[in-house]
Amino acid sequence: MSQDLELLVALQETDLQLAQCQTKTRHFATERERIEAEFQHHIATYSTAKTNLDAVRHRLRDLEIELSHFQAQFAKYTADLQRVRNQREYETAIREIDMAKKSAAQCETKIAEARAEIAKLETEVASYAPEIEKLRAETDLALAENAQAEAAYLAEVEVIRQRRQEMETKLSKVWLNNYARVSKLRGGHVMSQVINGTCSACRMRLRPQVHSLVRQGIGIHTCDNCGRILFYRPDAEAKPSVEKVAAATAD
Ligand SMILES: [Zn+2]
C-alpha cells in the first residue's frame, strides 16, 4: 500500500476516534447537569421553606411601613383635635382618629402573625442547614471529580488532534481534499476495505482492473458506486470477515 493510502487509512481511524470523543465530551456536560439537578432535587423542601421565609420577611417590611403610615395619621388627627372650631370638625377628627387607630391595630396583629411565622420558618430552614452543607460538599466533590476526568480526557483528545494535524501535513492536498469531500458525503466514513473483490462499504463488485491495482497497491482508487477510497489488506481475505458473514446472512 502506498504511503498516502496508509496515511488516509490512519486519518480515517483518527477521525472515527475523534467522533467518538465528541460523544464522550458531551457525556461530561450531561453528567455535570445530572449531579447539580440531583442536589436541587434533594434540597427542594429546604428551597420551599426558604422562599416562604423570604416572602414573609418581605410582607413584614410592607406591614411595618403601613403601620408607620397609620401612626402618622393618628398623630396628625390628634393634633387637629386641638384646633377644631366647631362640632362638625370635632366629629371629623374623632372619626379619623378612630379609623387610624383601628387600622394600626389591625396592622399590629398582622405584624405579630408575620413575626411568629418568620420565627417558625427560620427554625425550619436552620434545621436543614447541616444536611444541606453535607450534600453541597458531596455535590462539589462529584463535580470536581467530573471536571478532573474531563480535563484528563480532553488532554488525551488533544494528543489525537495533534496526531491528525501531523498526518495532514504529510498528505498531498489533492487527497486531503478528496478525503474531506467523501467524508462530507458519507457521514465521515471515507475509507472502504476491499474484500474478495468487493467494496465492503456498499457491497459493489470492483472492476477486475481496479481490483488488481488496489490489490497491488498501485495508485489510489475510489469505488465507482459509493465514491469511497479503496484499500486492501491481504489478511482480511484469509478468513471470512464479520461483515461478510453478516452480508451473507442478510442475503
Ligand atoms: Zn463502494
Side-chain angles (χ1 to χ4, degrees):
M1 216 193 287
S2 72
Q3 200 209 346
D4 267 351
L5 197 53
E6 287 284 8
L7 274 167
L8 286 167
V9 172
L11 194 65
Q12 170 78 91
E13 279 164 10
T14 309
D15 279 350
L16 291 177
Q17 244 180 321
L18 284 171
Q20 278 180 342
C21 291
Q22 272 190 338
T23 315
K24 199 166 170 187
T25 309
R26 274 197 297 274
H27 159 81
F28 285 108
T30 314
E31 183 61 7
R32 207 160 35 236
E33 279 166 25
R34 191 196 61 75
I35 293 167
E36 193 56 51
E38 200 177 289
F39 174 72
Q40 293 302 334
H41 172 75
H42 280 309
I43 66 159
T45 325
Y46 159 81
S47 299
T48 310
K50 183 80 178 60
T51 308
N52 289 345
L53 178 58
D54 289 343
V56 184
R57 276 180 179 152
H58 195 264
R59 197 166 78 223
L60 177 64
R61 272 197 300 280
D62 288 347
L63 284 166
E64 281 167 349
I65 292 167
E66 227 175 286
L67 177 63
S68 59
H69 166 74
F70 291 130
Q71 283 168 339
Q73 272 191 336
F74 179 79
K76 178 187 175 293
Y77 294 127
T78 308
D80 284 353
L81 195 61
Q82 313 303 316
R83 295 191 293 269
V84 292
R85 286 161 301 178
N86 51 48
Q87 182 65 18
R88 196 176 56 82
E89 281 182 7
Y90 172 80
E91 279 169 12
T92 305
I94 288 290
R95 199 168 55 242
E96 296 292 358
I97 287 168
D98 274 354
M99 266 172 65
K101 222 159 110 180
K102 210 168 144 194
S103 300
Q106 279 172 351
C107 239
E108 275 165 347
T109 308
K110 284 183 195 165
I111 284 172
E113 283 168 3
R115 286 198 175 127
E117 204 176 336
I118 286 171
K120 186 174 144 270
L121 284 167
E122 275 175 346
T123 312
E124 192 183 336
V125 167
S127 75
Y128 291 126
E131 199 193 337
I132 286 170
E133 215 170 294
K134 185 172 151 271
L135 276 172
R136 188 66 249 180
E138 283 169 6
T139 303
D140 287 344
L141 182 68
L143 286 173
E145 279 170 1
N146 182 58
Q148 206 177 4
E150 186 181 24
Y153 185 68
L154 288 179
E156 277 175 43
V157 176
E158 190 47 40
V159 172
I160 301 173
R161 274 212 191 92
Q162 276 170 11
R163 202 160 64 216
R164 192 192 191 284
Q165 272 179 359
E166 279 165 32
M167 286 175 198
E168 274 191 18
T169 57
K170 288 178 193 159
L171 263 165
S172 73
K173 199 134 197 95
V174 176
W175 279 109
L176 260 181
N177 288 341
N178 266 329
Y179 179 94
R181 187 179 51 79
V182 181
S183 177
K184 210 170 162 187
L185 217 64
R186 298 291 174 201
H189 293 267
V190 183
M191 306 303 291
S192 175
Q193 188 165 0
V194 171
I195 299 168
N196 296 329
T198 305
C199 165
S200 62
C202 74
R203 317 276 179 219
M204 178 63 109
R205 182 152 280 279
L206 267 56
R207 284 181 283 126
Q209 195 196 356
V210 174
H211 184 208
S212 163
L213 290 170
V214 172
R215 272 181 75 107
Q216 293 171 71
I218 301 169
I220 300 178
H221 305 271
T222 53
C223 171
D224 286 340
N225 185 47
C226 68
R228 289 185 179 88
I229 301 168
L230 301 164
F231 68 97
Y232 173 79
R233 295 222 190 277
D235 51 353
E237 288 178 358
K239 51 186 181 298
S241 74
V242 175
E243 281 178 17
K244 257 180 71 193
V245 172
T249 320
D251 291 342

